[in-house]
Amino acid sequence: MEFRFFQVDAFTNRPFGGNPAAVCIADQLPADEVLSRIGKENNVPMTAFVVRKNNDFILRWFRPDGGEAQLCGHATLASAHILWETGMMLADEEIRFHTIAGQFTATKGSDGWITLNFPAIGSEAATDTTLLAVFPTAVEILQAGVERTLVLLPSEEEVRNFNPTHELLQSYNCIVTARADADKPYDFVSRFFAAPHGLTEDPVTGSAHCVLAPYWAAKLGKTTFNALQVSARGGELRVALHGDKVALTGQALTLIDGWFRLPE
């Protein structure tokens, strides 16, 4: 079996920025065990598998630990980018992805930025206060869905300078955020740590902004944002809250174009 393979930097317009994703375009999906092993082999933050189904596409995401992800923004953005770049879809055509989390759409603007339609994820005050030992200056600690913890810090500087080596953080998928400095062209900053899923730090996390959009909408009294994930690689997003949906908009750049070959 062989299929097209690409590596894309998502939520950036420069090489080695944003979040790398592998994108595999196949006629049919291998067995789940093989998908898991390919995710491990690629060893990037996410591998996306895309298969055409009539006029739509089936999309699945696998992490470098071999587990299947329930939601992934940057690999979805990368997949849409490849479908347009290879001519499998025309630039003015909407892409519909069928995933384990539901159906999502992708559209391409005249400026080349790609917009994903994702679900909004609410948050509430966390009953687990363990992370206060990791973030003693935290303004708020909230639970977002069943998997993620959201931590509000007092300043952009604290988010940027946080060192994710505390052993307690190894048990949490943690979004850390703060309002941006007043002189900056973005509204808030964030970082995302996902040690339970094999990622000490995820460079740019689209799905985390499904949590951040409704959170900052309530805080700032508006629904459109410029966001910056301040990891070492860094990434820019335009984020908009529309009821129970979040529009995630970003750029992508292809760095590797080739074939993935599996012996029969």
Side-chain angles (χ1 to χ4, degrees), residues 49-251:
F49 296 91
V50 183
V51 174
R52 184 183 285 277
K53 182 181 180 182
N54 300 321
N55 294 323
D56 297 351
F57 296 89
I58 296 170
L59 174 62
R60 296 177 69 181
W61 310 285
F62 281 78
R63 300 187 301 265
D65 66 359
E68 183 168 12
Q70 301 299 300
L71 188 66
C72 182
H74 88 277
T76 304
L77 184 81
S79 298
H81 165 76
I82 289 298
L83 291 175
W84 283 311
E85 187 172 73
T86 59
M88 292 182 68
M89 295 292 286
L90 300 178
D92 61 351
E93 291 183 305
E94 179 184 77
I95 298 172
R96 293 182 295 272
F97 290 116
H98 298 270
T99 80
I100 194 170
Q103 178 178 301
F104 304 128
T105 61
T107 55
K108 191 173 186 178
S110 58
D111 59 359
W113 287 59
I114 296 168
T115 298
L116 308 177
N117 183 37
F118 265 37
I121 300 173
S123 54
E124 58 185 15
T127 56
D128 180 358
T129 59
T130 305
L131 285 180
L132 282 172
V134 184
F135 301 100
T137 63
V139 179
E140 284 186 296
I141 298 180
L142 301 100
Q143 186 67 35
V146 297
E147 278 197 331
R148 292 174 178 167
T149 303
L150 175 63
V151 178
L152 175 65
L153 293 183
S155 69
E156 176 177 332
E157 181 181 15
E158 286 201 37
V159 175
R160 288 181 179 273
N161 292 340
F162 175 70
N163 184 349
T165 58
H166 199 296
E167 63 180 16
L168 288 176
L169 199 60
Q170 304 309 301
S171 300
Y172 291 85
N173 296 308
C174 187
I175 306 165
V176 182
T177 190
R179 189 167 184 175
D181 293 342
D183 60 342
K184 299 296 177 59
Y186 36 86
D187 298 287
F188 61 84
V189 298
S190 67
R191 293 171 70 186
F192 183 62
F193 310 106
H197 289 155
L199 293 171
T200 300
E201 180 167 6
D202 193 41
V204 192
T205 317
S207 60
H209 288 78
C210 296
V211 176
L212 290 164
Y215 177 78
W216 283 110
K219 287 284 186 185
L220 301 180
K222 63 179 188 175
T223 56
T224 60
F225 311 94
N226 292 322
L228 184 69
Q229 194 153 334
V230 291
S231 64
R233 293 174 64 102
E236 299 178 13
L237 305 89
R238 301 171 186 165
V239 183
L241 180 66
H242 303 291
D244 63 352
K245 301 293 183 182
V246 175
L248 303 173
T249 303
Q251 298 168 286

Side-chain angles (χ1 to χ4, degrees), residues 11-35:
F11 292 117
T12 186
N13 63 354
R14 57 182 176 83
F16 317 119
N19 202 353
V23 179
C24 301
I25 308 290
D27 293 329
Q28 61 183 20
L29 289 177
D32 284 6
E33 180 184 359
V34 177
L35 298 178

